[in-house]
């Protein structure tokens, strides 16, 4: 993204956030690169097959940095490497209870 586009995006974001309430909680569903790649392969969506693994790796690092820098609201990081929302009802209930306790 060039500087002009970034400045436009940043200005728009700044203007928009003045009019919305901050979230009570930000939930980051985190997964390792190999898990992300496996999920992409399993979904078999054509538009996802072109995603460069290095790009995903960079995104993971940027999301980690961003979440760790948040000091204006509560955050929760959920490790989804071994969690399947459709199969692990007990873990899902635990996560939902944790969310309720935080908010």
């Amino acid at each position: 993204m060039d500087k002009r586009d970034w400045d436009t995006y940043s200005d728009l974001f700044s203007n928009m956030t003045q009019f919305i309430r901050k979230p009570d909680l930000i939930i980051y569903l985190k997964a390792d690169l190999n898990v992300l790649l496996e999920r992409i392969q399993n979904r078999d969506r054509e538009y996802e097959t072109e995603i460069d693994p290095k790009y995903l790796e960079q995104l993971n690092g940027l999301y980690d940095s961003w979440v760790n820098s948040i000091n204006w609201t509560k955050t929760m990081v959920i490790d989804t490497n071994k969690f399947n929302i459709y199969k692990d009802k007990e873990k899902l209930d635990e996560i939902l209870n944790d969310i309720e306790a935080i908010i």
Side-chain angles (χ1 to χ4, degrees), residues 7-62:
D7 289 343
T8 301
Y9 172 80
S10 296
D11 289 344
L12 179 62
F13 179 80
S14 178
N15 287 327
M16 289 174 52
T17 56
Q18 292 178 40
F19 301 102
I20 58 175
R21 194 180 106 198
K22 76 175 185 170
D24 297 321
L25 175 66
I26 292 177
I27 300 172
Y28 173 28
L29 303 175
K30 182 176 174 63
D32 293 336
L33 178 62
N34 60 328
V35 173
L36 295 173
L37 293 172
E38 181 180 320
R39 290 176 181 166
I40 288 170
Q41 184 177 17
N42 288 340
R43 283 193 297 262
D44 196 28
R45 296 176 183 157
E46 188 175 330
Y47 63 90
E48 288 182 333
T49 61
E50 301 299 317
I51 298 174
D52 185 343
K54 289 183 183 190
Y55 172 74
L56 290 175
E57 190 172 33
Q58 286 178 317
L59 275 181
N60 260 357
L62 291 169

